[in-house]
Amino acid sequence: MTTPVKAVRGTRDLLPPETALWSRIEATAREVFARYNFGEIRTPIFEETTLFARGVGEETDIVSKEMYTWEDRARAQSEKTQSLTLRPENTAGVVRAYIEHKLSETGQLQKLFYIGPQFRRERPQKGRYRQFFQIGAEVIGPPHAGSESPLRDAEVLEMLASLLEELGIEGWTLRLNSVGSASDRPAYLAKLREAIAPVAHRMCADCQRRAETNPLRVLDCKVAEDQEIIESLPRIADSLDEASRAHFAAVCAALEAARVPYTLDHRLVRGLDYYTRTTFEFTHGGLGAQNALLGGGRYDGLSEAIGGPKAPGIGFAIGQDRLVLTLQAQEQEEAERADAWVAPVGEAQNPASLALARELRRAGLRVELGDGGFRVRKSMEVADRQARRIILLGEDELASGVLTVKDFSTAVQTKIPRAELAAHLLAARAEAKQKKEKQRA
Ligand code: HAM
């Protein structure tokens, strides 16, 4: 018998019913992008290798280690043999298309989104594949169209916060940094080289090489033994010139006005060389080691680096595989939640609470029982992780027969007569199930 052929390492088949979730994410992204007036762009899956070497940077891990590159042989005399590469990311391709189709001549900002596969020869693990999918967007245009404005950065970030909210992703963190501009970067790099030189011999082999070729990449190093040294190196924020500093402050102020929460991360340099000024990532704790749900930033010099006109831009790419993982984990967690957590207020209420839990369980509800030895605040904290709502049973409730129920999803507290409680909870469960099914459809 011949051995069956399998999918290549790091690639996967997506099958129903999971594909329905992939489609739902794409539909929601399209809806949100349309509201912000983005149009779709589709660029080829492969490009000339030079595009990524010049655009993303020869010294990056992506270009130096991870690309699928081959010599494409000429088929006719009119053709030439050339080096081609499966796209490892799509920003360089979008900017190439912007230049090739002379979109700068429209004089307007181009707001473009894309959804599609990317390819990197990385070590596969949870959330990291060799063929993976990105949902990305780019805002690019001539400076006179406002492409350099910090408001563009903040608007893109605000759009991302809205998209994640609409997808139902909970618990993300926006990490933000500025890596400076073409004018303030050289001074910082010189400082960094100088600081690394005397300690480089104590760092990993990659850092020793990067210290010479591209010192900014040292800040990206994940090797545990190098972390103490890296923390002691000069920070980019202290080397920004007045213009870069003002740009970053304006981005932060606009985010605050729009109530988009963020944290500063002075080591967020990202793994691609085209970034200038704003860089960001949205991370999620549930993802494990590969915790970046998405990443992006500003790239004011990319167009010129690949032979185009001055066309500053900002954009991002979401890892769709990681979005799916996060939503699936959330759904699983949600499914495992109890309908209610019965919390006795004081140990004297323990017996009565057991009786109440029994009543609800016999009605078919999934119920957790706390302990009157816990303070109410502690009960709330624990219950919030394991149940949809908490029912407080104190002396007053027992005497009046009216119970206080706090719903964790809305933070609303209601008073419900004990005789109606089981029916109320069953109805709430049916309603939630219906809502979920409608969402899926
Ligand atoms: P990136 O950080 O290389 O940026 O990738 C963006 C996102 O793609 C990551 O945060 C992650 O969620 C996902 N991703 C990357 N590699 C893998 C992988 N091997 N497996 C699964 N998911 C992965 C870029 O690609 C830039 N082009 C983003 C950008 C757009 N910057 C400006 N405009």
Side-chain angles (χ1 to χ4, degrees), residues 10 12 56 62 66 88-92 114 118-139 270-272 274-275 280-282 287 290-299 302 313-323:
R12 310 178 290 156
V56 176
I62 296 178
E66 297 167 0
E89 63 99 55
N90 209 23
T91 308
Y114 50 86
Q118 318 291 332
F119 306 86
R120 296 182 194 174
R121 195 187 287 103
E122 293 195 82
R123 198 168 42 76
Q125 63 180 91
K126 181 186 163 200
R128 190 162 72 190
Y129 312 98
R130 292 184 169 176
Q131 172 175 297
F132 60 98
F133 293 81
Q134 284 187 339
I135 300 177
E138 315 290 347
V139 181
R270 313 252 311 117
L272 305 100
Y274 48 62
Y275 290 115
F280 58 86
E281 277 180 7
F282 282 65
L287 280 166
Q290 303 306 315
N291 69 352
L293 262 182
L294 68 95
R298 180 164 271 290
Y299 44 84
L302 176 55
I314 175 143
F316 62 85
I318 307 174
Q320 194 177 357
D321 308 73
R322 296 184 190 178
L323 267 190

Side-chain angles (χ1 to χ4, degrees), residues 16-50:
E18 193 186 325
T19 34
L21 177 56
W22 285 74
S23 303
R24 181 160 66 78
I25 290 172
E26 287 157 25
T28 306
R30 284 173 188 281
E31 254 175 60
V32 172
F33 292 155
R35 252 185 273 145
Y36 287 76
N37 210 21
F38 279 75
E40 184 176 6
I41 182 168
R42 299 189 190 195
T43 60
I45 301 282
F46 54 91
E47 300 267 1
E48 280 189 44
T49 306
T50 335

Side-chain angles (χ1 to χ4, degrees), residues 197-406:
V199 289
H201 64 280
R202 290 198 274 130
M203 303 185 84
C204 71
D206 271 347
C207 278
Q208 296 191 16
R209 185 175 47 79
R210 291 172 186 142
E212 295 293 320
T213 54
N214 191 346
L216 208 56
R217 293 269 76 80
V218 169
L219 302 184
D220 230 5
C221 171
K222 304 281 183 300
V223 174
E225 293 75 27
D226 288 2
Q227 300 308 307
E228 201 182 321
I229 296 180
I230 295 171
E231 275 303 315
S232 69
L233 296 172
R235 296 186 171 193
I236 306 184
D238 301 326
S239 295
L240 296 183
D241 63 19
E242 208 37 60
S244 288
R245 218 178 283 248
H247 184 98
F248 195 52
V251 175
C252 295
L255 287 178
E256 276 152 37
R259 294 177 199 276
V260 176
Y262 64 90
T263 58
L264 298 180
D265 180 349
H266 69 93
R267 277 179 58 183
L268 190 75
V269 291
R270 313 252 311 117
L272 305 100
D273 278 352
Y274 48 62
Y275 290 115
T276 52
R277 295 194 168 160
T278 314
T279 52
F280 58 86
E281 277 180 7
F282 282 65
T283 55
H284 196 283
L287 280 166
Q290 303 306 315
N291 69 352
L293 262 182
L294 68 95
R298 180 164 271 290
Y299 44 84
D300 292 344
L302 176 55
S303 170
E304 287 150 295
I306 58 176
K310 186 170 169 61
I314 175 143
F316 62 85
I318 307 174
Q320 194 177 357
D321 308 73
R322 296 184 190 178
L323 267 190
V324 168
L325 279 175
T326 309
L327 285 172
Q328 284 170 336
Q330 264 178 219
E331 235 168 70
Q332 172 89 18
E333 212 176 86
E334 204 47 41
E336 284 165 6
R337 268 176 195 269
D339 293 299
W341 178 287
V342 175
V345 183
E347 280 175 0
Q349 312 311 327
N350 275 352
S353 298
L354 177 64
L356 176 64
R358 177 175 159 88
E359 216 172 284
L360 299 176
R361 285 168 176 156
R362 293 183 88 175
L365 290 154
R366 191 198 290 214
V367 176
E368 274 286 358
L369 178 60
D371 190 289
F374 287 153
R375 286 172 189 280
V376 170
R377 186 180 320 163
K378 166 95 175 160
S379 294
M380 288 273 188
E381 264 174 39
V382 183
D384 192 7
R385 281 189 298 247
Q386 298 179 40
R388 291 169 211 277
R389 51 188 77 75
I390 190 166
I391 303 167
L392 297 171
L393 191 68
E395 228 172 275
D396 291 350
E397 285 83 4
L398 207 55
S400 66
V402 178
L403 301 164
T404 308
V405 180
K406 181 176 176 186

Side-chain angles (χ1 to χ4, degrees), residues 10-149:
T11 72
R12 310 178 290 156
D13 300 306
L14 302 171
L15 306 172
E18 193 186 325
T19 34
L21 177 56
W22 285 74
S23 303
R24 181 160 66 78
I25 290 172
E26 287 157 25
T28 306
R30 284 173 188 281
E31 254 175 60
V32 172
F33 292 155
R35 252 185 273 145
Y36 287 76
N37 210 21
F38 279 75
E40 184 176 6
I41 182 168
R42 299 189 190 195
T43 60
I45 301 282
F46 54 91
E47 300 267 1
E48 280 189 44
T49 306
T50 335
L51 173 67
F52 304 113
R54 282 204 254 155
V56 176
E58 304 254 24
E59 271 305 315
T60 59
D61 281 354
I62 296 178
V63 173
S64 65
K65 302 181 192 166
E66 297 167 0
M67 294 205 303
Y68 288 95
T69 298
W70 71 99
E71 282 300 305
D72 205 51
R73 267 180 295 129
R75 293 287 304 269
Q77 277 205 326
S78 56
E79 285 181 351
K80 58 181 191 325
T81 294
Q82 53 184 349
S83 176
L84 301 182
T85 292
L86 286 181
R87 63 185 189 192
E89 63 99 55
N90 209 23
T91 308
V94 169
V95 176
R96 178 202 48 71
Y98 173 89
I99 299 165
E100 193 164 334
H101 299 282
K102 300 192 170 44
L103 297 182
S104 64
E105 288 176 10
T106 63
Q108 289 167 5
L109 281 184
Q110 299 296 315
K111 299 168 84 175
L112 304 164
F113 79 87
Y114 50 86
I115 299 176
Q118 318 291 332
F119 306 86
R120 296 182 194 174
R121 195 187 287 103
E122 293 195 82
R123 198 168 42 76
Q125 63 180 91
K126 181 186 163 200
R128 190 162 72 190
Y129 312 98
R130 292 184 169 176
Q131 172 175 297
F132 60 98
F133 293 81
Q134 284 187 339
I135 300 177
E138 315 290 347
V139 181
I140 175 168
H144 67 76
S147 57
E148 281 172 308
S149 165

